[in-house]
Amino acid sequence: MVSRSPLVFGRDREVAELTRAIDAARSSRGGAVFLVGEPGIGKSRLASEAAGIAFASGVRVLRGRGTTIGPIVPFRPLTEALLGLFRSGHPPDDPALGPYRPILGRLIPDLQQPGVAATGDSLVVLGEAVLRLVTVAGRPDGCLLVLEDLQHADPETLAIVEYLTDNLTDLPVLLVGTIRDEPCAALDLARTASQRHSASILALNRLNPDDVTRLAASCLETEPAALPIEVTSKLVEDSAGIPFIIEEILHQSVVDGVLVQSATGWRVVGELRPDVPETVLRGVTDRAEQLGPQARALLSVAAVLGDRFPLSVVGHVTALDERSMLSHLRAAVAAQLVAPDDTAPDWYAFRHPLTAEALRSALTPTDRAEYSRRAAEAVQTLHPGLPGEWCQLVATLKADAGDVDNAARLFAEAGRRALTDGASGSSVKLLDRANALLHGTGTAESKAEILQTLLYALAEAGEIDRARTLVDSLDHVGGADLGSAPRAALHTRLAQVYYVAGLSSEGMNQLAAARALLGPDATDAQTAPIDVMAAKLTWQGGGSNRGERAEVLARQAIAAAEHADLPTVLCDAWQVVADVARERSLEESSVCLERARELAEKHRLPIPRVYVLARLAGNDWLATGDVVGVERTIEEAQRVGAVAVGYQIHGNLAADAVLRGDFEKTARLIDQCKQDVIRLRLRPQTRYILMVQATLAAHRGRRVEMEAALTEFAEWEDANSQELPLTLGFARVFCALLEENRGLAREELIRMIASTKDVPSLFQLAGRHGLHLFLSVLDGDAGWPEYNEAIATVQSTMRWNRQFVRLAEAVLLGREGRVEDANAAAGSAQEDAAIFTMARHLGLRLVAEAAIADGWGEPIVWLRRAEEYFHQLSVPAVAGACRSMLRHAGASVKQRRTGIDRVPDDLRAIGVTVREHEVLQLLRERLTNKAIANRLHISPRTVEKHVASLIMKAEVADRTELSNFAVSAYGEIA
């Protein structure tokens, strides 16, 4: 009898490479390896060898594979692999998973949370969740993730695989994937990853004659020299060095009695068959025939189901009792046609895709249609409602059976489900299949319904251009048979596509077409979605009176949606009203958001609820500076797995910290999430974090660091970057002020105001409503009219802006000789500024000159406090200005015998601060960060940041060159 060889031949190089990669993963130097080759070349065999090596080394092994059951099975390989972590009853529970546990519920039922709907987070976020889970699984001895047959994987799985390949460095995880050497998305992914040096490809070549002989001998359990020469010659000639064909030829030769075993060994009786491909295919069908009619029917039904098949469905179709079915399966296993599927109980798989293909090709069209029809009925009976992948499987079976209408309906349903689960790429393919099936058949309404969902899926998948081309197809969906209501719904959905793309005017054109189709007799259910989309597009598009126009439309949508009971429309509309209301009243905006929150909670919309909570907390912070609500919201975001909004809230906390002057906390918060948001490609969150990083440098007077952060920000900027005003107002303006360049600061403010005049922005603190007024009053360019105009706005009541507005008031009152009123205004300003440490001292320094000139306030006290603060902060320009003003006012000035006066002129010229000067001197001794920190009584992290700053300022490549620079600047240690 011929057995499958347990050994791997001709793969010494590949085995060595996989062994090296496994050892590297055990040492937290993970990576990805793709095994590429033609069918039957031994990819799965080599992957199994890698799994064995890993298992013997104590490495955790997870295995899954792509499938041809249905056209699309989102995430199937990943789900199969990851479920292995949960079968033991001891699932991974690690703090590193954090908010990603609910996200993983899309793949692992054990992690699904009751009452938490599927999220709309990007596949990159899901990829991060998988990355963290396999990293946890890899502790302490490493993890091997084997994903086979990726040529059959869905686009979402491939997106996650690509994400993993890019981010496994320095993690205890090795990804091994197998891919057929044929045009497919998986092969493109592997090649691209290889070009990026984030993965390696092992291309499996055909076996050479010696390896063919060794493999054959292993299969026949004999020595290579004992094989008949005609057998080895024929195998070398006809197998093309493909292991699967070698085994099939040998098996067929033995079954046919051509190759027999005698007391003296194996010998040939008769003539070996030619035409290997035909032999292989015919061999499969012959072996199935030899098992008997019932077994052949069982295998035919199984082949119709795909390369893998569930026994329950096969048994239902064949009407075999369990004993008979298992008996036939054992015979099929013995004949090496099928094997138990280790990834799922009650499932079997064909030994090779060619086996299933051969059995399907042997069926007549009538038989295949009949088997498909009966299999579809069996699945529907056994799995009511067709949950999960069953819907796609039945859709495929219906199509094979010729039931086009029901097949299209099920493909469309599968597409809608995929879209709900966030698998937009799979959704597009499924909906395309449904659309294609209905070409030339089906009702206009069914076509329009599919197209409407397809438009949304294309928008979510980022295929905006293709969605736009569907505009022309609206007139051909069903001709005159398509009613005005479904046609209007299509135009409204297309407007949503344009909204996502930021194309406001084109979106409005689609809404105009929808209104024209519906006419004056449109129902509330028809007009509400149009009105809310018009409101969003109006608010997005800007222009004069955009807020007023957007609010009118949003309130129209609210009235209609309440009558028609459309909660999603209501939630969207109230948030638009809240955006507009923020321009006139924070309290009114919060009331609107409370309405949206109630809707989200009533209709169990957890992710929208978190967004609303975040905006409510933001309103509270704008008014009072209270950050408690923001901190609570980030906990809620983690609970429901709202990763994207969680990072946005994290950015808000970082912004709060930098404005409070807590620079160590700001740096820590940036470090905690910057690389994550960049890796996740969350563009708004990345821009916001980079804005905060630039602000951190600016508020410490470090222009070089600020410019570096702004350069990085520009790489993520787009035409509608709402963070741009903050980069100007928070970063550039304050950096100029800390350089004592008030003229430049005002120029930056004017530039910010001019460049953002028509750009919708939710950020109210960039300087337009507070700092600009204060600086203009100081320079005599603004008076009471400008002040009165400023305080008439809601923005002037926001705590950050309020400190500057009240300082401007104090200056104006002081110029009129109203000393007590000026003192009261200055006191109020200091109360508002109490939580904003750096801004408070900068404001005191700026206002002191006017207070000295007009005889009000406590300018000497203020200047002493500001001088001490900015000296400790190593901002020499402001500290020096404070000392100069004190001297001119006749006050004594503290002597600074250490500090900036000790910094050599050439180092001071390139911006080296006092603390950096101290660090640079110690670098001559080649000390570690910890040793320097102990000498200077600061933290090692602070030393690290000073070293990084010095490397930039000295324009050297690394720490070693910086130490050499220090020696050249100060001389060798005596």
Side-chain angles (χ1 to χ4, degrees), residues 923-941:
L923 280 171
R924 292 180 297 170
E925 302 178 44
R926 316 286 175 171
L927 298 176
T928 65
N929 286 351
K930 186 175 181 180
I932 294 174
N934 291 336
R935 292 269 193 99
L936 299 178
H937 304 289
I938 57 179
S939 70
R941 185 168 189 80

Side-chain angles (χ1 to χ4, degrees), residues 287-288 291 295 298-299 309 325-339 348 350-351:
R287 281 152 59 191
L291 298 178
L298 182 151
L299 291 172
F309 54 91
M325 184 170 62
L326 291 177
S327 175
H328 292 312
L329 277 172
R330 281 194 293 270
V333 171
Q336 298 189 33
L337 291 171
V338 300
Y348 276 68
F350 288 100
R351 292 292 296 269

Side-chain angles (χ1 to χ4, degrees), residues 553-595:
L553 289 164
R555 291 193 179 277
Q556 285 179 196
I558 289 170
E562 286 178 342
H563 186 263
D565 191 21
L566 301 175
T568 302
V569 173
L570 281 170
C571 196
D572 278 354
W574 277 116
Q575 291 188 68
V576 174
V577 175
D579 286 342
V580 178
R582 189 183 289 109
E583 301 291 326
R584 58 179 179 261
S585 168
L586 285 173
E587 292 77 11
E588 182 184 353
S589 175
S590 294
V591 169
C592 296
L593 290 172
E594 286 291 350
R595 296 290 298 273

Side-chain angles (χ1 to χ4, degrees), residues 393-415:
L393 173 57
V394 173
T396 303
L397 293 170
K398 291 281 188 183
D400 291 343
D403 188 353
V404 174
D405 287 342
N406 281 319
R409 178 180 58 81
L410 290 171
F411 275 123
E413 174 60 23

Side-chain angles (χ1 to χ4, degrees), residues 22-35:
I22 291 169
D23 290 341
R26 295 179 63 197
S27 302
S28 294
R29 300 193 310 275
V33 178
F34 293 105
L35 309 179

Side-chain angles (χ1 to χ4, degrees), residues 190-214:
R191 289 171 174 167
T192 302
S194 177
Q195 292 170 359
R196 294 196 306 271
H197 303 291
S198 59
S200 60
I201 294 178
L202 295 181
L204 305 190
N205 298 319
R206 297 178 177 184
L207 301 183
N208 61 39
D210 288 341
D211 290 327
V212 170
T213 302
R214 293 168 62 204

Side-chain angles (χ1 to χ4, degrees), residues 57 388 946:
S57 302
H946 286 317

